[in-house]
Amino acid sequence: MSQNVTYLDHPLIQHKISMLRDIKTGTNEFRKLTEEIAMLMGYEALRDLPLEDIEVTTPLETCRTPMITGKKLAIVPILRAGLGMVNGILALTPTAKVGHIGLYRDHDTHEPHEYYCKLPSPIEQRTIVVLDPMLATGGSAVSAVDFIKKHGGKTIKFMSIIAAPEGVKRLCDAHPDIQLYIGHLDRELNEDKYICPGLGDAGDRIFGTK
Ligand code: PRP
Ligand code: URA
């Protein structure tokens, strides 16, 4: 598969994804796990964040030492389920700006519909990290990246906890210039375009709706 896709096979991530899948995992635990997985994935996905040397005085001397340039990062969750990953990334980079893209999948056609879009401006110089726990057909991910590019976004990473092969292919084909970070690649989509084995409806499980 594409060189732009990184599968995060760390045991801590895999263990927590297994807990997330479990039908017995309730809303509170599901939220906590989603946040923790996002943070662990973010550790890897943000390894190329730009650094800037600043002057720091230690108890012994003054030195120049690298710090992340916080202004350069934007996090963009896809509503609703992507919201569950935001705090995990903000725990790593508290000064990041946060944009939102509202998309829902039509139950019959499975195509995404946009209902909200608010991105930090200007966005051209930022690394943009799009968050969505589920990459199923890839329709929502492709639309979200389309919007971001239309607004001027150039450096884009997409983080997803569980993906189907169909979604990874569709996103890579549509946007070969972005980096994908996937927690686990599942077997397939079922006829309702749910990921199998998956974890069910991520938005419903995070927000306790149904
Ligand atoms: C889910 C999920 C993704 C999308 C993935 O959202 O959070 O955004 O489906 O499916 P796709 O790859 O086939 O587009 P949903 O549309 O259920 O909205 P919700 O988060 O508001 O529940
Ligand atoms: N959206 C979800 O929340 N789960 C899936 O399996 C597919 C799309």
Side-chain angles (χ1 to χ4, degrees):
M1 215 165 260
S2 164
Q3 288 182 334
N4 293 347
V5 187
T6 304
Y7 294 99
L8 297 161
D9 57 1
H10 194 288
L12 287 172
I13 296 177
Q14 295 311 309
H15 177 86
K16 288 177 191 291
I17 290 176
S18 298
M19 294 169 73
L20 205 59
R21 292 184 192 279
D22 193 332
I23 194 172
K24 296 194 295 297
T25 298
T27 303
N28 188 24
E29 182 70 359
F30 195 94
R31 278 195 201 124
K32 241 176 65 190
L33 285 164
T34 303
E35 206 171 300
E36 288 168 0
I37 294 165
M39 185 166 67
L40 292 168
M41 290 180 69
Y43 176 77
E44 184 58 35
L46 301 179
R47 67 160 50 246
D48 61 352
L49 275 187
L51 293 167
E52 192 172 56
D53 277 352
I54 58 139
E55 199 168 274
V56 167
T57 303
T58 78
L60 300 178
E61 60 182 87
T62 295
C63 62
R64 291 192 67 77
T65 188
M67 295 275 280
I68 290 168
T69 55
K71 276 187 297 199
K72 292 273 194 283
L73 191 68
I75 302 169
V76 180
I78 299 180
L79 308 181
R80 295 174 297 164
L83 286 174
M85 299 171 74
V86 170
N87 285 344
I89 304 297
L90 283 180
L92 301 173
T93 59
T95 58
K97 301 277 190 255
V98 183
H100 296 86
I101 294 181
L103 293 171
Y104 71 90
R105 264 194 347 172
D106 182 281
H107 275 288
D108 299 319
T109 65
H110 311 297
E111 284 304 310
H113 293 271
E114 185 207 356
Y115 59 88
Y116 188 77
C117 182
K118 180 84 181 170
L119 299 174
S121 180
I123 203 164
E124 289 80 357
Q125 304 298 320
R126 295 182 185 277
T127 295
I128 301 144
V129 184
V130 185
L131 305 176
D132 195 328
M134 308 305 276
L135 177 59
T137 65
S140 305
V142 169
S143 294
V145 176
D146 285 343
F147 287 130
I148 291 167
K149 285 187 175 174
K150 234 178 267 168
H151 281 80
K154 289 181 175 54
T155 308
I156 301 170
K157 296 169 182 275
F158 189 93
M159 275 179 56
S160 189
I161 295 176
I162 293 181
E166 295 90 331
V168 175
K169 181 172 183 332
R170 183 162 168 189
L171 185 53
C172 287
D173 287 349
H175 296 292
D177 54 318
I178 74 169
Q179 297 287 326
L180 267 67
Y181 299 88
I182 308 288
H184 195 273
L185 184 67
D186 273 17
R187 193 179 67 247
E188 62 186 357
L189 296 176
N190 68 12
E191 60 194 21
D192 294 323
K193 307 297 182 195
Y194 272 80
I195 301 175
C196 296
L199 50 73
D201 187 306
D204 283 344
R205 294 198 64 186
I206 289 171
F207 294 105
T209 49
K210 187 64 207 152

